[in-house]
Amino acid sequence: MDDMYREVILDHYKNPRHNGELDPADISYQDDNPLCGDMIRIDLRVDKDNKIIECAFSGHGCAISQASASMLMEDIKGKTLDDIKDYTRDDILEMLGIELGPVRLKCAMLSLKVLKVGAYGVQEWVED
Ligand code: ZN
């Protein structure tokens, strides 16, 4: 494992939060990042106000992709689907706390992409 990764990233990678699948789930979506071989699936349960009451992710791939999914799950629990619309690349980078090149950026953004496309459809996902 590279020394460049912060301890917190390794911790989320080794001990992912909200890891697993929800059955039943109100929203389920998965996608992959073929450049790196990362795969992320996200399941959400929402209440009548579209508040996220349960969330889980599963998948496999590099430390960045899995850690960002784990951090994102911790962050979105209790928020609404509307709140998710406001999440940007910068929010993910802030959670990870490291600079990423274009290839690693795809790894980091996979979980946000899956979340947004799952919640709103592909038109809400605009990749820079
Ligand atoms: Zn990756």
Side-chain angles (χ1 to χ4, degrees), residues 18 70-79 87 91 95:
H18 301 285
S70 172
M71 290 176 179
L72 189 61
M73 292 302 99
E74 280 204 316
D75 208 67
I76 64 169
K77 192 171 177 189
K79 298 207 165 118
Y87 276 67
D91 292 311
M95 285 182 218

Side-chain angles (χ1 to χ4, degrees), residues 33 64 89 93 100-110:
N33 168 23
I64 294 287
R89 183 164 90 171
L93 290 178
L100 293 172
V103 174
R104 285 290 166 198
L105 203 53
K106 294 247 184 226
C107 302
M109 292 306 130
L110 178 62

Side-chain angles (χ1 to χ4, degrees), residues 71-123:
M71 290 176 179
L72 189 61
M73 292 302 99
E74 280 204 316
D75 208 67
I76 64 169
K77 192 171 177 189
K79 298 207 165 118
T80 67
L81 293 181
D82 265 355
D83 294 332
I84 285 171
K85 272 191 177 169
D86 297 331
Y87 276 67
T88 65
R89 183 164 90 171
D90 289 342
D91 292 311
I92 301 292
L93 290 178
E94 199 173 300
M95 285 182 218
L96 291 169
I98 54 171
E99 298 284 325
L100 293 172
V103 174
R104 285 290 166 198
L105 203 53
K106 294 247 184 226
C107 302
M109 292 306 130
L110 178 62
S111 54
L112 184 61
K113 179 183 181 182
V114 169
L115 180 66
K116 286 202 174 196
V117 174
Y120 294 108
V122 74
Q123 74 278 4

